[in-house]
Amino acid sequence: MSDSDPFDEIVAAETDRDPDLAVIEAGSRTLRTQGGQPQADVPARPEDPELDRALREVEAELATRWGETKLEPSVSRISALMDVLGEPQRSYPSIHITGTNGKTSTARMIEALLGAFELRTGRYTSPHVQSITERISLDGAPISAERFIETYQDIKPYVEMVDGQQEYRLSFFEVLTGMAYAAFADAPVDVAVVEVGMGGSWDATNVIDGDVAVITPIDLDHTDRLGETPAAIAGEKSGIIKQDATVILAQQPVDAAQVLLKKAVEVDATVAREGLEFGVVARQVAVGGQLLTLRGLGGEYDEVYLPLHGPYQAHNAAVALAAVEAFFGVGSQRPESLDIDTVRKAFASVTSPGRLEVVRRSPTVVLDAAHNPAGARATAEAVGEAFDFSRLIGVVGASGDKNVRGLLEAFEPLFAEVVVTQNSSHRAMDADELAAIAVEVFGEDRVQVEPRLPDALEAAITLAEEEGEFAGGGVLVTGSVITVGEARLLLGRG
């Protein structure tokens, strides 16, 4: 091979791009120029009984509202709440993130990078792994239980005022979004990193005008609400692209890319596309993660250590880097790249609980919150690359509204056996119903049913130990963020 630029090889490898995209891209502007704060782990319940009681009271009040899967698609209620609160979301710039998979990990990487450059950050993500306070972070750490309670009590009178004026009460997610925006204004933060709950246009978070809009890979999920094709889903998610914003576009299905680029043209947004303006130049597996060379909007960043596993996390890192470069004006106001040592320090500090997280050894138990087929395929690839299991046992507890068959099919080549179970959520698929699908995918001999998660974990660990102490057996717990969070508690994390 000649000494061609490795990034040119990435561009040349983009064989799936539709020539019709050129028409759309001709009308859009593209962007390319010639350690950070420590991430806190998932918080446990408060040790103070009175504080724990007060937090449980807030959680109970929030639980009386519509859950996150019951939606009335509009931003009218959250807009009314922002109005009576004095528009707190307008008091800081923001980076808005949507997509199907990778949003939370990407948000955590963006947060780490911004913090490393000495900006005060607020991060809003969902769902939580163990504690509701995880959803709202300041300076890289979830807010304290005390601050969570205070924020709720501060906005509660305004929430009740809006409830009385609207056809429907504010939902659980809308109230939490209001709390996050108020907490960020009160801090105050220099920049907010905000992950959508679902979709984009009518998501409660979409009362901000993100200076940077990030679209992680789009795939089929929530099809009953967002659409049954990547293009339809992209149409909904494109709603976060605002006038004159910068759009950081992860690799997308062609039909989704067409929709997103068309929206960018309509609002005169600047676009940077993975595989063209930025991307992963090289990656190699390293102890505890991977070593990356990333091409950003302002140049190349080499020897970047990321303590997370899997090709998809490398792509998330490229997207996060481009988003932060765009936020700082790299590629538009300033030609030089970001300080390489600061970038390395930031990425080396990143954690993502419940995303290929090792919580036990002998046998190794790994937690991963994959909950749809695309996420499961990415997880299966990453497990095969990062771990040398001679025999892997799956523990799967899924939600009833997901494509469970597709998820199980993605894991079928990886799991020697699977233990199906259910978590405590009302959304959990019944273990016997899940088992019936698993038998069709894996065959009866490879499926075990344990409705209680503690029993499922014990059964899977016993199966993995049958290989012997040094034989390389392991357990992967997956299927739902809730399943992973409950397993994390049972296994002594948090």
Side-chain angles (χ1 to χ4, degrees):
M1 192 115 196
S2 66
D3 4 320
S4 62
D5 185 338
F7 199 71
D8 291 338
E9 296 171 21
I10 296 176
V11 176
E14 290 281 299
T15 55
D16 293 333
R17 296 182 62 79
D18 189 322
D20 289 344
L21 290 182
V23 178
I24 299 170
E25 288 168 3
S28 68
R29 295 175 288 159
T30 59
L31 185 61
R32 182 179 173 193
T33 67
Q34 308 291 315
Q37 39 190 354
Q39 300 279 345
D41 202 6
V42 175
R45 297 294 314 182
E47 292 184 6
D48 180 348
E50 283 302 303
L51 183 59
D52 186 53
R53 180 191 58 75
L55 180 59
R56 290 184 188 278
E57 285 179 2
V58 172
E59 291 171 317
E61 287 188 28
L62 288 169
T64 65
R65 298 180 175 274
W66 278 0
E68 288 171 281
T69 58
K70 186 171 183 180
L71 304 166
E72 191 274 319
S74 79
V75 292
S76 60
R77 291 174 303 282
I78 188 69
S79 296
L81 179 61
M82 292 297 99
D83 182 51
V84 297
L85 288 175
E87 304 291 346
Q89 82 284 12
R90 308 283 182 209
S91 62
Y92 39 80
S94 55
I95 297 175
H96 206 178
I97 307 169
T98 191
T100 301
N101 290 306
K103 296 187 295 295
T104 298
S105 293
T106 302
R108 294 176 75 96
M109 293 178 197
I110 291 171
E111 173 189 51
L113 282 162
L114 293 168
F117 284 99
E118 300 185 351
L119 292 184
R120 185 158 206 210
T121 57
R123 172 171 54 84
Y124 181 53
T125 53
S126 60
H128 56 274
V129 177
Q130 283 177 204
S131 170
I132 195 171
T133 60
E134 295 165 41
R135 294 176 180 239
I136 305 172
S137 289
L138 292 172
D139 295 323
I143 63 173
S144 66
E146 293 95 330
R147 191 162 194 164
F148 187 90
I149 295 163
E150 287 169 6
T151 303
Y152 176 74
Q153 296 298 345
D154 284 346
I155 76 163
K156 182 178 177 181
Y158 301 97
V159 168
E160 292 173 344
M161 184 189 308
V162 172
D163 283 344
Q165 296 169 347
Q166 298 289 320
E167 183 180 0
Y168 304 106
R169 295 170 73 215
L170 286 151
S171 70
F172 168 86
F173 187 73
E174 287 168 333
V175 175
L176 279 175
T177 301
M179 289 173 62
Y181 289 162
F184 297 161
D186 186 56
V189 301
D190 297 315
V191 53
V193 183
V194 177
E195 173 190 336
V196 302
M198 186 187 299
S201 295
W202 44 257
D203 186 74
T205 62
N206 203 31
V207 288
I208 57 171
D209 291 324
D211 302 76
V212 179
V214 177
I215 320 286
T216 68
I218 289 174
D219 211 295
L220 300 181
D221 197 12
H222 301 295
T223 53
D224 57 328
R225 300 181 184 278
L226 303 180
E228 297 185 353
T229 65
I233 293 171
E236 175 55 39
K237 293 182 183 293
S238 71
I240 74 162
I241 301 174
K242 304 299 174 57
Q243 188 73 34
D244 298 322
T246 301
V247 184
I248 305 300
L249 207 57
Q251 290 180 335
Q252 303 290 347
V254 169
D255 57 344
Q258 288 176 321
V259 172
L260 296 167
L261 289 166
K262 183 174 183 291
K263 176 61 181 282
V265 172
E266 290 170 357
V267 298
D268 200 25
T270 303
V271 180
R273 299 152 296 176
E274 184 183 5
L276 292 175
E277 283 75 43
F278 69 93
V280 180
V281 174
R283 56 179 295 273
Q284 61 188 77
V285 177
V287 176
Q290 52 194 309
L291 194 64
L292 308 175
T293 299
L294 302 174
R295 173 65 69 91
L297 305 176
E300 200 161 283
Y301 301 78
D302 62 358
E303 296 184 7
V304 174
Y305 175 68
L306 179 68
L308 301 175
H309 300 291
Y312 69 98
Q313 293 289 20
H315 290 285
N316 289 342
V319 169
L321 176 62
V324 173
E325 285 183 307
F327 181 79
F328 284 123
V330 174
S332 53
Q333 288 94 38
R334 51 184 281 185
E336 73 274 12
S337 58
L338 300 177
D339 179 72
I340 182 63
D341 290 331
T342 306
V343 168
R344 288 172 180 154
K345 179 183 176 186
F347 276 118
S349 75
V350 171
T351 63
S352 196
R355 276 76 181 177
L356 281 182
E357 180 185 19
V358 177
V359 293
R360 172 184 163 149
R361 299 285 186 183
S362 298
T364 298
V365 178
V366 182
L367 307 180
D368 190 85
H371 56 273
N372 56 45
R377 289 192 294 270
T379 296
E381 181 184 11
V383 168
E385 176 185 271
F387 300 94
D388 189 24
F389 293 125
S390 59
R391 172 182 165 88
L392 183 63
I393 310 300
V395 174
V396 179
S399 296
D401 58 347
K402 297 295 181 182
N403 180 358
V404 174
R405 181 180 296 276
L407 179 131
L408 292 173
E409 287 173 346
F411 285 124
E412 190 278 329
L414 193 68
F415 293 158
E417 297 182 56
V418 61
V419 181
V420 298
T421 188
Q422 64 190 76
N423 58 55
S424 63
S425 167
H426 67 279
R427 293 172 56 199
M429 177 175 278
D430 178 78
D432 289 331
E433 185 181 347
L434 179 56
I437 301 172
V439 166
E440 293 176 6
V441 174
F442 288 86
E444 192 170 351
D445 293 345
R446 294 167 62 195
V447 178
Q448 183 171 332
V449 186
E450 294 291 350
R452 295 182 64 254
L453 183 56
D455 297 338
L457 293 171
E458 184 177 349
I461 289 169
T462 300
L463 287 169
E465 286 174 337
E466 288 178 1
E467 288 284 278
E469 186 178 353
F470 303 107
V475 175
L476 175 64
V477 183
T478 189
S480 161
V481 176
I482 298 167
T483 300
V484 162
E486 292 181 358
R488 206 172 185 276
L489 278 171
L490 290 165
L491 293 165
R493 296 300 294 267

